[in-house]
Amino acid sequence: MQPLIDHARSFRERSTERPEEFARLARGQAPQVLFITCSDSRVVPALITGARPGELFELRTAGNIVPPYASEQPTSEAATVEYAVEVLGVSDIIVCGHSHCGAVGALVRGDDLTAVPAVRDWLAHSTPRPEGAVGDPAVAEAVKNHVLTQLLRLRSYPSVDKGLAGGQLRLHGWFYEVHTGTVLTHDVASDTFQAL
């Protein structure tokens, strides 16, 4: 914890070296991309994309799950997606899964999650269980299938459906390999994940 505290203390000093950048951020945000990814600490959207402050609107959930849209029971995820599309006017949404994902791995293996009921119930949003090799520690194929399921879920959100229909919004499925740093993107034409 101490290195994080030390960095936070010195951050203000470093930020005064770029006053115009921070003044611009204080005036508001205008990100072009909503980046939906796992809350896993090994996945750092700004590091992966090189984005600067204000360039990505992020939604991080366990297993990068996009829950089914239900207007009678709004979720934080639905509110974030709606705000990104309707208020911020993002033009792209990326759903980024990653190798060695604990959430997807638990689903594929059918792990007993009774000791963590909130996790168990949250992962139930991910059904059907992603297809993939049970013995693969990277759960690569399962995560890729899982990303595609989340993209389909996004299409059921009214703001996303409207943006797609009007041509103002594009969806992207990414797979990040934690062990190599490689990012693959889903190619719709070939229905495969290919290197960016």
Side-chain angles (χ1 to χ4, degrees):
M1 183 69 184
Q2 193 58 49
L4 300 178
I5 293 170
D6 294 342
H7 183 81
R9 285 180 177 150
S10 66
F11 180 72
R12 184 178 187 287
E13 292 172 20
R14 291 190 312 278
S15 65
T16 59
E17 296 168 5
R18 303 185 315 268
E20 66 287 338
E21 180 180 350
F22 287 89
R24 177 183 54 80
L25 293 173
R27 290 190 292 272
Q29 61 176 324
Q32 295 302 300
V33 176
L34 168 60
F35 198 94
I36 301 173
T37 195
C38 187
S39 47
D40 189 300
S41 63
R42 300 167 294 179
V43 180
V44 183
L47 185 64
I48 294 168
T49 63
R52 303 284 305 148
E55 293 181 342
L56 289 180
F57 197 64
E58 294 181 28
L59 173 59
R60 299 187 66 140
T61 68
N64 56 270
I65 293 173
V66 175
Y69 184 81
S71 60
E72 67 282 354
Q73 282 191 320
T75 64
S76 172
E77 295 78 22
T80 300
V81 171
E82 183 177 83
Y83 187 81
V85 174
E86 295 292 342
V87 177
L88 297 176
V90 299
S91 56
D92 295 275
I93 299 176
I94 298 168
V95 175
C96 182
H98 67 94
S99 68
H100 305 86
C101 181
V104 173
L107 287 166
V108 170
R109 292 184 303 270
D111 290 356
D112 179 5
L113 300 173
T114 54
V116 283
V119 173
R120 178 197 60 218
D121 295 347
W122 175 249
L123 293 181
H125 284 295
S126 177
T127 55
R129 187 172 88 184
E131 292 182 22
V134 175
D136 175 14
V139 291
E141 289 309 308
V143 170
K144 292 172 187 175
N145 290 328
H146 178 70
V147 164
L148 297 178
T149 298
Q150 305 320 300
L151 288 171
L152 285 174
R153 286 254 177 84
L154 274 172
R155 292 176 175 277
S156 72
Y157 282 52
S159 58
V160 173
D161 182 54
K162 184 175 87 175
L164 291 169
Q168 298 93 12
L169 188 62
R170 293 177 300 271
L171 299 180
H172 311 271
W174 284 13
F175 174 73
Y176 170 62
E177 290 183 343
V178 170
H179 55 294
T180 67
T182 301
V183 178
L184 306 175
T185 187
H186 182 253
D187 176 67
V188 177
S190 65
D191 194 24
T192 62
F193 279 80
Q194 302 176 1
L196 281 177

